[in-house]
């Protein structure tokens, strides 16, 4: 079924099937539902002791078979599912509607336009090179080089940076955070995911299968979530602000490496967002999108801080298979490695939007376990805003100046 390692449990196979069905990958969903049913012992199917809903797996598989013109097999599966769990209204309604040919809702199918097909190809390439960090789907360019960035505050401290794209500017910063720091940030996030409160500047929220289960006092933050909720299937997202020690430490580290002001100053003007710690979950994905969202413009947490000029993605866990960040128009795929950080400029040096910065989070196939909690892939994303960075990262001398040129100019000015 893809990654050749330890077989997934039936419950996990069912979860992957649900995720595949939700984004329209019907053939893959049917395979995962069939796998879950095949590996579940018969006595668990009838006794109700299975770790997932066997009846739903049968019903969903039946609906997919029906949509693929395998009508008799589909109806048979839905009938068995309704007999197995007659109390489930969804299953009974599915069976009756398909049996009588009424009110049948067409299943969502994965878009076939070239952009989405190319995205899938980029994501599938990661399984062929599991030990790589970056996959360039094409010839290397002259600017694909590694360089050392000097720390602003710590003498003789340098960080290794791998330049992946010049326009839009995309670079991979190696070993920005230690394993202990990554684990500590995950630990902070895990203690907050089941609660919501607004106290001492901390916001916690939980997104499960696109449903917001907590209430947010900020209309602008709610707008951000509403405008992107159709793009992702995440298990948990938690917002951790800078009053937490580890968040403040890592925020200062990212500022030191990039030269940008990443400070979050809620409720005043902010140069940086708080950390958004995301656990993608098994088969979790983030469909192609731009980080400069036109829907909420410059409003974030009820403050106006200009444009979201850059995005930082800090990888908090290693991934065995899947979970990469793919840049569709650049033909670049970055595989998560714990402690690495990805720097993406959403705006050109002259302030224009980078339309080619579209990227996606690939589905997670096999992840790593952290503590007693399965963390297929955990990342901490942090937006950097133009307010407060006018002098740190000014406009270039020419209209088409790159961020590399601006960065060199800024380093000379700091000396």
């Amino acid at each position: 079924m893809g990654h050749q390692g330890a077989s997934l449990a039936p419950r996990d196979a069912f979860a992957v099937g649900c995720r595949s069905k939700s984004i329209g990958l019907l053939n893959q969903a049917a395979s995962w539902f069939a796998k879950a049913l095949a590996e579940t012992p018969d006595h668990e199917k009838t006794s109700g002791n299975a770790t997932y809903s066997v009846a739903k797996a049968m019903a969903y598989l039946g609906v997919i078979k029906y949509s693929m013109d395998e009508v008799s097999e589909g109806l048979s599966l839905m009938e068995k599912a309704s007999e197995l769990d007659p109390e489930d209204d969804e299953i009974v309604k599915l069976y009756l509607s398909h049996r009588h040919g009424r009110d049948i809702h067409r299943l969502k199918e994965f878009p076939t336009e070239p952009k989405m097909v190319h995205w899938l190809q980029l994501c599938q390439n990661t399984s062929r090179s599991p030990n790589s960090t970056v996959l360039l789907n094409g010839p290397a360019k002259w600017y694909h080089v590694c360089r050392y960035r000097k720390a602003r505050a710590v003498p003789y401290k340098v960080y290794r940076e791998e330049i992946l794209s010049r326009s839009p500017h995309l670079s991979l910063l190696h070993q920005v955070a230690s394993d202990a720091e990554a684990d500590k940030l995950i630990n902070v996030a895990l203690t907050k995911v089941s609660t919501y409160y607004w106290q001492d500047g901390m916001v916690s929220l939980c997104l499960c299968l696109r449903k917001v289960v907590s209430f947010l006092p900020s209309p602008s933050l709610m707008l951000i979530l509403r405008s992107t909720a159709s793009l992702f299937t995440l298990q948990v997202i938690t917002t951790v602000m800078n009053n937490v020690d580890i968040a403040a430490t890592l925020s200062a580290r990212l500022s030191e490496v990039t030269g940008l002001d990443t400070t979050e100053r809620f409720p005043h003007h902010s140069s940086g967002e708080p950390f958004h710690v995301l656990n993608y979950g098994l088969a979790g994905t983030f469909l192609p999108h731009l980080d400069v969202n036109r829907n909420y413009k410059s409003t974030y947490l009820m403050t106006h801080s200009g444009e979201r000029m850059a995005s930082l993605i800090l990888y908090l866990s290693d991934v065995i298979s899947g979970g990469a960040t793919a840049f569709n128009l650049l033909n670049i795929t970055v595989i998560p490695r714990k402690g690495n950080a990805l720097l993406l400029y959403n705006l050109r040096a002259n302030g224009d939007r980078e339309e080619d910065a579209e990227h996606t989070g690939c589905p997670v196939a096999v992840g790593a376990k952290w503590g007693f909690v399965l963390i297929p892939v955990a990342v901490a994303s942090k937006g950097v805003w133009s307010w407060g960075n006018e002098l740190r990262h000014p406009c270039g001398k020419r209209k088409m100046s790159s961020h590399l040129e601006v960065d060199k100019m800024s380093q000379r000015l700091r000396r």
Side-chain angles (χ1 to χ4, degrees):
M1 304 299 291
H3 177 77
Q4 295 183 2
S7 178
L8 293 180
R11 177 182 60 185
D12 296 327
F14 174 71
V16 176
C18 290
R19 295 287 177 89
S20 301
K21 176 176 173 287
S22 70
I23 62 175
L25 296 172
L26 300 184
N27 287 321
Q28 291 88 333
S31 298
W32 285 110
F33 288 137
K35 177 180 174 64
L37 294 171
E39 296 192 0
T40 303
D42 291 337
H43 70 275
E44 288 188 5
K45 292 179 182 178
T46 56
S47 64
N49 292 328
T51 55
Y52 68 101
S53 175
V54 175
K56 283 191 185 296
M58 283 185 181
Y60 294 159
L61 179 58
V63 170
I64 294 173
K65 293 287 186 182
Y66 189 98
S67 69
M68 294 177 174
D69 295 329
E70 299 178 30
V71 177
S72 59
E73 184 178 357
L75 289 174
S76 176
L77 285 167
M78 284 185 274
E79 183 179 10
K80 290 180 181 177
S82 63
E83 293 173 353
L84 192 62
D85 191 357
E87 302 298 325
D88 192 311
D89 291 340
E90 180 190 6
I91 294 175
V92 174
K93 287 179 181 178
L94 283 175
Y95 171 60
L96 292 177
S97 63
H98 285 79
R99 168 62 69 185
H100 300 291
R102 297 195 306 265
D103 300 325
I104 297 176
H105 298 287
R106 182 178 178 82
L107 289 178
K108 176 183 177 181
E109 295 187 20
F110 191 80
T112 57
E113 63 258 30
K115 179 178 77 171
M116 302 302 285
V117 174
H118 183 55
W119 164 61
L120 275 183
Q121 291 173 346
L122 289 177
C123 291
Q124 290 169 352
N125 288 341
T126 61
S127 61
R128 304 188 185 111
S129 304
N131 297 321
S132 302
T133 304
V134 177
L135 299 178
L136 300 176
N137 297 280
K141 302 296 174 65
W142 62 268
Y143 50 77
H144 288 158
V145 296
C146 288
R147 66 174 181 172
Y148 289 101
R149 297 191 67 136
K150 292 183 179 180
R152 291 172 58 90
V154 182
Y156 309 111
K157 177 69 175 177
V158 293
Y159 296 93
R160 187 159 61 95
E161 181 182 27
E162 193 173 349
I163 307 298
L164 305 179
S165 173
R166 190 169 183 266
S167 181
H169 181 94
L170 175 68
S171 64
L172 183 64
L173 304 163
H174 291 261
Q175 295 304 305
V176 173
S178 66
D179 288 356
E181 288 171 329
D183 291 344
K184 189 172 182 179
L185 186 56
I186 292 177
N187 189 34
V188 170
L190 288 176
T191 60
K192 307 299 180 186
V193 294
S194 61
T195 62
Y196 162 74
Y197 59 95
W198 185 279
Q199 182 180 2
D200 297 329
M202 171 74 76
V203 183
S204 293
L205 57 115
C206 175
L207 259 69
C208 299
L209 298 179
R210 301 183 184 181
K211 294 182 180 179
V212 180
V213 297
S214 60
F215 298 92
L216 303 175
S218 168
S220 55
L221 183 56
M222 195 64 184
L223 176 60
I224 295 172
L225 295 176
R226 190 184 303 119
S227 63
T228 58
S230 61
L231 294 174
F232 54 67
T233 51
L234 304 178
Q235 188 172 8
V236 168
I237 174 173
T238 306
T239 304
V240 181
M241 289 191 172
N242 274 5
N243 64 334
V244 179
D245 290 342
I246 185 60
T249 299
L250 291 176
S251 182
R253 180 89 44 77
L254 291 171
S255 178
E256 182 180 80
V257 177
T258 62
L260 300 173
D261 186 356
T262 62
T263 309
E264 173 269 313
R265 302 181 182 88
F266 180 80
H268 307 290
H269 291 289
S270 291
S271 300
E273 299 172 11
F275 279 108
H276 307 295
V277 182
L278 296 83
N279 176 11
Y280 276 75
L282 196 62
T285 185
F286 208 137
L287 297 182
H289 65 282
L290 289 168
D291 282 352
V292 178
N293 192 319
R294 291 177 175 82
N295 292 335
Y296 63 83
K297 296 181 180 178
S298 63
T299 302
Y300 183 81
L301 286 175
M302 297 179 289
T303 64
H304 293 269
S305 301
E307 293 277 9
R308 197 186 201 198
M309 61 178 291
S311 298
L312 287 159
I313 301 175
L314 178 62
Y315 296 110
L316 303 179
S317 64
D318 291 315
V319 181
I320 299 173
S321 181
T325 305
F327 293 83
N328 307 351
L329 301 177
L330 303 178
N331 286 323
I332 295 174
T333 308
V334 180
I335 299 175
R337 293 290 180 260
K338 191 173 184 178
N340 288 356
L342 200 60
L343 170 63
L344 169 67
Y345 278 95
N346 303 309
L347 303 178
R348 296 188 178 98
N350 63 5
D352 293 340
R353 294 176 187 268
E354 284 282 14
E355 300 296 340
D356 291 346
E358 184 181 73
H359 55 285
T360 183
C362 295
V364 180
V366 182
K369 196 165 186 177
W370 185 88
F372 297 100
V373 181
L374 182 65
I375 306 289
V377 59
V379 302
S381 67
K382 186 179 184 70
V384 181
W385 293 74
S386 55
W387 192 91
N389 280 299
E390 297 89 346
L391 298 179
R392 284 175 173 252
H393 198 81
C395 296
K397 294 181 178 180
R398 300 177 293 108
K399 183 178 180 180
M400 299 307 294
S401 292
S402 68
H403 284 288
L404 287 173
E405 295 169 343
V406 173
D407 187 56
K408 290 178 181 178
M409 180 178 68
S410 300
Q411 288 182 7
R412 288 196 298 268
L413 291 174
R414 287 197 294 268
R415 292 172 188 167

